[in-house]
């Protein structure tokens, strides 16, 4: 096991204090993991839902240790040239134009074309040197003369091919450039990778990292975080707001509110001068924490109960038409939309079928009920059946049964 000679923290409590000074509230488990990152010089992979402080941890660590932060933001379709390095072709072309006369001197006394090509080929290494190398975050972190914190953010969004590119850097603190050679870090960076678990990462990548799963904090710790951000919301209302947000997270939402959105909501309510949290005020500002239409509907339905568990919440679709003597002839099926979206752009099939079978949708003749008003028959002679016709029919039917 290696130990960094310039370790910034003497013990775990120092990590808690240093991160706290940067406004990042860390528990003992998180602080212990960060302490090991600084001592073992191993990358740290942090997984968990969006908005629980994964990226902020890298920022706070950089500020607490006085290191420069380098960030590689991952995305689908990203290739190694955006992560490692690429050649500055524009600069190479410019130098080629400037050195055109010099190249002419090099090949001036060449006896034939093949010799001229050989002489030019011998100079190719000049244009594929560090002078024309454009480093990207990974190579920049390795080549840096000063210590840095390298944040590889949302690595799960990148393709698996990029994971393979990362392995050399994560395991050996080095980057290989075929045209130049291998760069080894003079000051090993603190590397933090984050993942929102949109896909499984490879075992090879996980094996090279320390691992930490960050979930939503306890109510006490989240309240402490909100207070540390100095939102301007009184402590009593902040505590109530934290409990309401935790209740919203228990709903079946497409995206649950993050800690940062709790802070934003507290600041919003403080700006509005909230003296108490009412369902009306929270409904008007719910878009701060829920960002999808379906989530907004479910949140608005739950807010009265979350603000006051004893509140009486009217059921959806039960307004008029309950025999209160309004005299308006209101009908729920006419004045309330019986079709409720089960999801964005989707309808509940049972509700749709119920709407189609609603009473009064067709007249009585359609259903053919006993009380239905049947149209009168046109006047005419009543049909009669003769005795011989009845016997013939009976005999024919009996003959068929015997034949069977």
């Amino acid at each position: 096991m290696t130990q960094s000679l310039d370790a910034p923290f003497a013990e775990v409590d120092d990590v808690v204090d240093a991160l706290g000074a940067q406004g990042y509230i860390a528990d003992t488990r998180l602080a212990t993991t960060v302490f090991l990152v600084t001592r073992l010089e191993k990358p740290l992979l942090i997984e968990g839902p969006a908005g629980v402080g994964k990226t902020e941890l890298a920022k706070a660590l950089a500020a607490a240790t006085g290191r420069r932060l380098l960030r590689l933001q991952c995305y689908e379709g990203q290739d190694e040239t955006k992560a490692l390095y690429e050649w500055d072709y524009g600069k190479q072309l410019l130098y080629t134009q400037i050195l055109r006369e010099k190249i002419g001197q090099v090949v001036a006394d060449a006896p034939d074309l093949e010799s001229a090509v050989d002489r030019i080929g011998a100079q190719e290494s000049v244009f594929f040197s560090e002078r024309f190398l454009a480093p990207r975050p990974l190579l920049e972190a390795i080549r840096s003369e000063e210590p840095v914190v390298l944040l590889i953010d949302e690595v799960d969004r990148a393709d698996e091919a990029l994971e393979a590119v990362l392995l050399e850097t994560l395991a050996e603190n080095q980057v290989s450039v075929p045209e130049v050679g291998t760069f080894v870090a003079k000051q090993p960076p603190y590397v933090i990778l984050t993942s929102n678990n949109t896909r499984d990462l490879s075992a090879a990548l996980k094996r090279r990292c320390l691992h930490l799963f960050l979930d939503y904090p306890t109510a006490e710790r989240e309240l402490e975080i909100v207070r540390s951000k100095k939102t301007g919301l009184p402590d009593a209302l902040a505590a109530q707001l934290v409990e309401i947000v935790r209740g919203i997270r228990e709903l079946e939402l497409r995206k649950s509110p993050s800690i940062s959105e709790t802070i934003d909501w507290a600041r919003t309510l403080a700006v509005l001068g909230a003296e108490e949290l009412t369902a009306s005020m929270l409904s008007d500002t719910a878009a701060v924490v829920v960002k999808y239409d379906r989530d907004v509907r479910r949140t608005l339905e739950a807010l009265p109960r979350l603000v006051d568990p004893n509140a009486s919440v009217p059921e959806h679709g039960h307004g008029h038409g309950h025999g209160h003597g309004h005299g308006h002839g209101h009908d729920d099926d006419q004045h309330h939309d019986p079709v409720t979206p089960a999801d964005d752009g989707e309808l509940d099939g049972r509700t749709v079928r119920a709407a189609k079978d609603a009473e009064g949708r067709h007249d009585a003749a359609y259903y053919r009920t006993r009380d239905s008003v049947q149209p009168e028959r046109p006047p005419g002679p009543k049909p009669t059946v003769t005795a011989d016709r009845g016997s013939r029919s009976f005999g024919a039917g009996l003959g068929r049964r015997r034949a069977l």
Side-chain angles (χ1 to χ4, degrees):
M1 180 180 68
T2 61
Q3 177 174 328
S4 177
L5 298 178
D6 58 345
F9 308 117
E11 55 186 15
V12 173
D13 290 342
D14 293 341
V15 179
V16 176
D17 296 339
L19 295 180
Q22 304 301 323
Y24 192 95
I25 309 301
D27 57 18
T28 303
R29 180 174 65 94
L30 187 151
T32 301
T33 306
V34 172
F35 179 77
L36 293 176
V37 169
T38 63
R39 291 302 183 94
L40 302 179
E41 297 179 351
K42 288 181 67 68
L44 170 61
L45 172 62
I46 310 177
E47 296 186 284
V52 295
K54 301 186 296 294
T55 301
E56 288 300 317
L57 176 59
K59 296 179 180 179
L61 178 61
T65 57
R67 293 186 170 213
R68 182 165 61 105
L69 178 67
L70 293 176
R71 180 172 181 170
L72 173 64
Q73 182 65 51
C74 299
Y75 55 88
E76 185 177 357
Q78 188 177 32
D79 58 20
E80 65 274 9
T81 62
K82 301 300 182 183
L84 288 171
Y85 66 91
E86 60 183 338
W87 294 106
D88 192 340
Y89 294 112
K91 190 176 180 181
Q92 288 174 329
L93 181 60
L94 176 61
Y95 273 58
T96 301
Q97 297 298 326
I98 294 174
L99 299 176
R100 179 180 298 175
E101 294 183 2
K102 185 64 176 177
I103 294 176
Q105 296 175 9
V106 171
V107 300
D109 58 345
D112 52 37
L113 180 60
E114 183 177 357
S115 300
V117 171
D118 290 340
R119 291 186 183 184
I120 294 176
Q123 308 299 322
E124 284 184 355
S125 59
V126 174
F127 294 96
F128 288 94
S129 61
E130 292 188 49
R131 183 190 301 274
F132 300 100
L133 195 61
R136 297 309 179 200
L138 293 184
L139 181 57
E140 187 175 356
I142 295 300
R143 294 179 61 192
S144 177
E145 296 291 338
E146 60 183 11
V148 300
V149 173
L150 174 61
L151 169 61
I152 304 175
D153 208 12
E154 297 183 331
V155 66
D156 55 317
R157 294 187 180 276
D159 299 333
E160 294 182 3
L162 184 61
E163 289 187 40
V165 172
L166 294 174
L167 297 182
E168 180 185 14
T169 303
L170 298 180
E172 308 294 340
N173 281 323
Q174 68 181 33
V175 170
S176 296
V177 180
E179 297 87 347
V180 178
T182 300
F183 294 92
V184 180
K186 297 178 180 179
Q187 298 283 348
Y190 296 155
V191 183
I192 294 182
L193 303 91
T194 71
S195 168
N196 294 334
N197 292 326
T198 58
R199 68 171 179 86
D200 291 335
L201 301 177
S202 67
L205 185 143
K206 287 192 172 186
R207 188 173 63 248
R208 287 164 170 78
C209 302
L210 299 175
H211 185 267
L212 178 67
F213 185 86
L214 278 186
D215 205 347
Y216 296 110
T218 62
E220 294 78 9
R221 187 166 298 280
E222 187 165 5
L223 177 58
E224 186 179 359
I225 294 172
V226 173
R227 286 172 175 168
S228 70
K229 299 302 180 181
K230 296 180 174 56
T231 61
L233 193 67
D235 287 352
L237 296 186
Q240 184 182 1
L241 181 65
V242 166
E243 291 297 335
I244 291 172
V245 172
R246 292 175 64 82
I248 293 175
R249 288 180 186 143
E250 294 177 359
L251 304 176
E252 294 183 1
L253 302 182
R254 179 175 176 181
K255 178 189 176 301
S256 296
S258 66
I259 301 174
S260 61
E261 288 165 334
T262 304
I263 297 170
D264 290 341
W265 208 2
R267 287 174 175 158
T268 300
L269 296 171
V271 168
L272 295 176
E275 297 181 354
E276 64 174 335
L277 300 187
T278 64
S280 176
M281 176 173 286
L282 294 177
S283 297
D284 291 341
T285 56
V288 175
V289 293
V290 284
K291 308 300 173 64
Y292 295 95
D293 183 58
R294 180 193 66 180
D295 293 354
V296 171
R297 292 198 303 269
R298 292 183 177 179
T299 299
L300 295 183
E301 292 174 358
L303 275 176
R305 171 177 55 81
L306 295 175
V307 173
D308 181 6
N310 298 320
S312 176
V313 182
E315 295 183 6
H316 177 70
H318 292 278
H320 302 293
H322 294 288
H324 298 300
H326 296 299
H328 300 298
H330 293 315
D331 185 4
D332 284 344
D333 292 329
Q334 297 175 357
H335 293 275
H336 297 283
D337 185 4
V339 180
T340 302
D343 204 339
D344 298 335
E346 298 179 5
L347 300 179
D348 184 351
R350 290 175 298 179
T351 308
V352 174
R353 289 193 296 273
K356 291 182 178 180
D357 292 336
E359 183 178 357
R361 184 168 181 264
H362 300 284
D363 58 21
Y366 177 86
Y367 293 102
R368 309 288 295 178
T369 59
R370 179 178 300 177
D371 297 331
S372 301
V373 179
Q374 303 293 338
E376 295 183 359
R377 297 179 179 273
K382 184 176 181 180
T384 58
V385 180
T386 61
D388 59 341
R389 180 179 176 184
S391 61
R392 288 198 304 271
S393 300
F394 178 79
L398 182 62
R400 285 195 300 270
R401 286 194 295 270
R402 288 177 178 176
L404 294 175

